[in-house]
Amino acid sequence: MGDNKTPRNIFDGFINAAVTLIDSPVTWFRERVVTPNRESYPWYHQKFRRVPTIDECYTDDVICFYEANSQFKRDKAVDSEILTILRVRMEDCNMFHGPDAEAKCKSLVETYKEAEANWFCKYGDLGFHGNVKDAYMKQKHRMVWERRHGPVGSGMRDAAAAAGDE
Amino acid sequence: MYYMKYYSHTYKFPAQQIRCGGGHHKEMFITPSRFQWNKCKDMVHYYVFLGVIPLSLITFFVNIYVGPATLTPIPENYKPKYWEYYRHPVTRFISRYIMPNPQMEYERHMNVLHEEEERRQLYLLEKKVKQLMAERSDYQAYYYSPNTAIKYYRKMKEVKKEENDRQGDNL
């Protein structure tokens, strides 16, 4: 903050002076009063151990389900943040380049689209009360569907063909 | 009588002067209500002197002299305490002295879930047993009603037989 370069013209000098007028008392207060009187102390990001996932739990094991569900919710929060970061990058690129965005931002857009599809595969359409068991069943249904009809996105075969190939 | 300056027009009427021995007269001053003004002063005293000023001072001095923490990677072989996962000193204070340990709450909750599940399994077992006893009627338990009156039936049957033998069928 505060341009300390040599001003190129009078307007530059005026803007420099205005910024310095506001900035220097704050900087003085920070450097003379605040920083010497503080001791720096740390804080950390919590690391959670990986616990058995839902496919490793018995059906009547409530504790295993609770731990798997908590891990699922944590993973969903982390994945949502990752998706947000990718989306912000893509949107910044699009907004910056404007009309050239199709040519200039292709890789960012592709990365984001792929990440969004993967997020939807795992967490989408589960509803507000969706838990890890619902996600697991969703995966099971998708795998059965893919076994009958081929990869997702290639259309449904009719019942006879699907039953024959399965 | 400080208010006499403001309400000099108030009407003073003396109470009964039955006994004026001491010379002082009891007078009632009719004044407009000072309730709103007094309430306003109460609210200013409460919200500003006990709310705004102490909290502002605490915020100012905590942010200046204690300051937020710096994010560092976790050192080797060190397990941070549960309040060391927050940045602002007030949040750390609340987490350390007011709120419970999240890991302790997590494990307590799992213990509650486990106990409730055990109770549920026992209940389901009882329910299954009762259902089978109802279906099969083969166990002297829940659906059993003891026919203890059978000995009276047998006695009455003997009595009736004896009467029938004595009296015959055509009555």
Side-chain angles (χ1 to χ4, degrees):
Chain A
M1 229 24 224
D3 297 308
N4 295 325
K5 311 189 287 284
T6 49
R8 290 170 287 183
N9 47 43
I10 294 178
F11 183 71
D12 223 13
F14 170 71
I15 295 294
N16 273 0
V19 169
T20 314
L21 181 69
I22 301 171
D23 191 52
S24 54
V26 179
T27 314
W28 176 86
F29 187 75
R30 177 100 189 168
E31 284 168 2
R32 297 299 290 274
V33 178
V34 170
T35 335
N37 288 327
R38 277 190 195 177
E39 306 141 14
S40 75
Y41 56 105
W43 70 294
Y44 312 102
H45 276 159
Q46 188 163 10
K47 283 194 174 42
F48 292 93
R49 276 201 296 254
R50 299 302 293 181
V51 292
T53 46
I54 188 68
D55 56 319
E56 298 165 16
C57 289
Y58 288 112
T59 46
D60 56 354
D61 197 348
V62 190
I63 293 182
C64 189
F65 171 79
Y66 179 72
E67 290 210 272
N69 201 26
S70 306
Q71 186 172 255
F72 175 75
K73 286 200 282 203
R74 271 181 253 129
D75 290 344
K76 183 171 175 177
V78 169
D79 286 339
S80 304
E81 284 296 316
I82 293 173
L83 199 66
T84 302
I85 291 172
L86 291 173
R87 178 173 50 240
V88 161
R89 278 187 205 164
M90 177 192 77
E91 283 176 352
D92 284 349
C93 184
N94 282 342
M95 216 174 287
F96 183 78
H97 288 114
D100 306 330
E102 285 166 19
K104 292 261 170 79
C105 300
K106 221 182 208 160
S107 64
L108 285 175
V109 171
E110 271 170 19
T111 318
Y112 172 70
K113 289 282 179 215
E114 197 185 327
E116 187 186 34
N118 291 336
W119 190 96
F120 193 84
C121 262
K122 187 171 178 188
Y123 302 110
D125 270 351
L126 295 177
F128 182 78
H129 299 291
N131 55 17
V132 67
K133 221 188 262 182
D134 297 336
Y136 191 42
M137 291 300 113
K138 185 184 174 191
Q139 185 188 31
K140 183 196 83 173
H141 284 296
R142 190 179 71 245
M143 289 166 90
V144 170
W145 195 94
E146 284 190 345
R147 187 172 67 185
R148 289 181 187 164
H149 301 280
V152 170
S154 63
M156 274 176 86
R157 304 184 203 147
D158 52 342
D165 280 352
E166 192 177 343
Chain B
M1 313 284 196
Y2 60 94
Y3 42 77
M4 284 179 70
K5 184 166 69 153
Y6 304 106
Y7 300 110
S8 54
H9 59 277
T10 53
Y11 178 70
K12 303 186 286 208
F13 62 90
Q16 293 99 351
Q17 299 181 19
I18 298 174
R19 289 181 294 165
C20 267
H24 63 281
H25 302 276
K26 288 205 172 96
E27 290 171 342
M28 178 180 162
F29 293 96
I30 300 178
T31 63
S33 169
R34 292 181 68 78
F35 175 76
Q36 281 90 2
W37 173 236
N38 293 334
K39 191 78 182 159
C40 183
K41 285 187 284 188
D42 287 343
M43 287 172 87
V44 164
H45 286 144
Y46 184 76
Y47 285 108
V48 174
F49 292 125
L50 292 179
V52 169
I53 291 183
L55 291 179
S56 306
L57 288 175
I58 289 174
T59 312
F60 183 78
F61 286 114
V62 162
N63 278 321
I64 300 283
Y65 289 107
V66 179
T70 41
L71 183 61
T72 56
I74 301 179
E76 286 289 326
N77 298 331
Y78 176 66
K79 183 160 192 310
K81 303 276 190 296
Y82 64 96
W83 65 82
E84 289 176 0
Y85 293 119
Y86 300 102
R87 187 170 162 260
H88 195 265
V90 171
T91 318
R92 284 167 82 106
F93 179 85
I94 293 171
S95 171
R96 183 173 179 181
Y97 292 109
I98 299 175
M99 300 300 285
N101 185 356
Q103 190 182 351
M104 182 178 83
E105 292 296 303
Y106 184 85
E107 290 178 15
R108 274 181 66 208
H109 189 239
M110 286 206 289
N111 181 46
V112 166
L113 286 174
H114 180 65
E115 265 187 50
E116 293 292 314
E117 178 64 20
E118 281 186 349
R119 275 204 194 111
R120 182 176 159 254
Q121 293 298 333
L122 286 172
Y123 170 78
L124 288 174
L125 191 61
E126 268 192 58
K127 202 168 152 191
K128 183 88 194 292
V129 168
K130 280 183 196 163
Q131 184 200 347
L132 287 173
M133 284 200 280
E135 281 172 21
R136 299 176 189 174
S137 313
D138 60 346
Y139 202 75
Q140 187 176 327
Y142 198 73
Y143 289 95
Y144 176 71
S145 69
N147 293 329
T148 48
I150 190 69
K151 65 182 179 201
Y152 302 109
Y153 282 125
R154 287 194 192 115
K155 191 74 178 162
M156 282 311 293
K157 191 172 160 188
E158 276 178 27
V159 167
K160 291 288 184 200
K161 184 169 184 316
E162 195 265 333
E163 275 183 20
N164 203 16
D165 287 344
R166 191 160 29 88
Q167 293 170 359
D169 293 325
N170 274 339
L171 282 173

